[in-house]
Amino acid sequence: GHGKEILSSEEMAGMITRMVFQVLESVRSSDNFGIVGIKSGGDVLARRIADEIAKHSGKKPDVGYLDITLYRDDLAQTQIADFPVVKGTEIGFDVAGRHIILVDDVVFTGRTVRAALDALTDFGRPSKISLAALIDRGHRELPVQPDFTGKSVPTALSESVQVNFRETAGADSVCIIKK
Ligand code: 5GP
Ligand code: MG
C-alpha cells in the first residue's frame, strides 16, 4: 500500500509463524482450544493462524468470528466518542471450558477487545481467553494487553496502520499511513 512500509511480506509472514508457535506452546497438546477472529482483519489472521496450526499439528482447529464495528456517537456536539458494537457472531463451537485465542490485526484503545470479551462470555465460560494481535499500535484506554504480539509499533494518533494480507490484498505487508 502507500505510506511507509514497516513490515515486508517476508517479515510479516515470519511474525505470524512465530505467533503460531507461541499459540501452540500455550495450548500445549490440548485439543481443547478454539480461535476467534475479530472482523475485519482479525478474521483473516485467525484463518491464517488456524491453517498454519493445521500444517504443524495435522489437526484443523475450530475457528469462529466476531463482527465488531466502531460507532461514532456525536449526539452531543461537545462529546464525540467511538464505541464498539457487536454486530454479529459466527462461532459454530461451544466456547464453554475451552481456551479461546482471540485474534485481531491491530490493537489500539482496547475497546474492541473489551466488547469481544463481553460477547464471548455471553456464549459460555471459556476456561481461558488469550489475545493475539499482529500489531500493537499503543494508545490503550483500557487495561488490555495482548498475550502474543507480532510487533509493537508506536504510532501518533494522526497515523494509522494498514495491514495487508495476501489472502485479501494479494501480498502481506504493513504500512504506516498519515491520516
Ligand atoms: P480499538 O481502539 O478498539 O483497540 O481498535 C479498534 C478496532 O479497529 C480493532 O479491531 C482494530 O483491528 C482496528 N484498528 C484500530 N486502529 C487501527 C489501525 O491503525 N489499523 C487497522 N488496520 N486497524 C485498526
Ligand atoms: Mg481489525
Side-chain angles (χ1 to χ4, degrees):
H2 66 293
K4 183 170 148 249
E5 185 175 284
I6 56 164
L7 290 181
S8 68
S9 67
E10 293 75 16
E11 288 168 330
M12 177 168 152
M15 252 161 220
I16 294 172
T17 297
R18 195 189 63 203
M19 290 169 77
V20 165
F21 284 110
Q22 290 173 335
V23 168
L24 277 170
E25 170 71 15
S26 92
V27 299
R28 296 282 159 85
S29 56
S30 168
D31 283 333
N32 209 20
F33 72 99
I35 301 175
V36 174
I38 301 173
K39 291 183 179 183
S40 63
D43 53 340
V44 183
L45 181 58
R47 170 61 56 198
R48 170 93 64 97
I49 289 172
D51 287 347
E52 289 200 20
I53 287 175
K55 229 170 45 191
H56 292 292
S57 73
K59 267 181 277 179
K60 212 170 175 78
D62 285 323
V63 186
Y65 306 102
L66 291 171
D67 189 353
I68 298 172
T69 303
L70 283 171
Y71 279 94
R72 176 143 281 201
D73 177 7
D74 50 8
L75 293 173
Q77 284 174 331
T78 53
Q79 195 184 325
I80 297 175
D82 288 321
F83 61 99
V85 172
V86 180
K87 285 210 313 185
T89 55
E90 300 166 48
I91 302 177
F93 58 90
D94 192 0
V95 303
R98 288 235 212 169
H99 182 177
I100 300 300
I101 311 293
L102 187 62
V103 176
D104 210 344
D105 55 346
V106 177
V107 60
F108 178 45
T109 66
R111 291 178 189 275
T112 297
V113 168
R114 201 201 88 90
L117 294 175
D118 275 354
L120 266 180
T121 48
D122 281 349
F123 282 102
R125 184 189 182 283
S127 60
K128 179 172 175 173
I129 303 175
S130 302
L131 177 63
L134 183 64
I135 302 292
D136 180 349
R137 60 164 292 200
H139 303 285
R140 214 77 80 242
E141 295 173 0
L142 292 172
V144 167
Q145 313 303 338
D147 299 285
F148 315 110
T149 310
K151 192 179 174 71
S152 288
V153 180
T155 57
L157 285 171
S158 59
E159 297 170 326
S160 70
V161 180
Q162 186 179 56
V163 181
N164 302 306
F165 290 98
R166 63 167 184 250
E167 291 88 342
T168 47
D172 289 336
S173 70
V174 178
C175 302
I176 298 277
I177 311 282
K178 298 244 182 278
K179 283 188 210 166

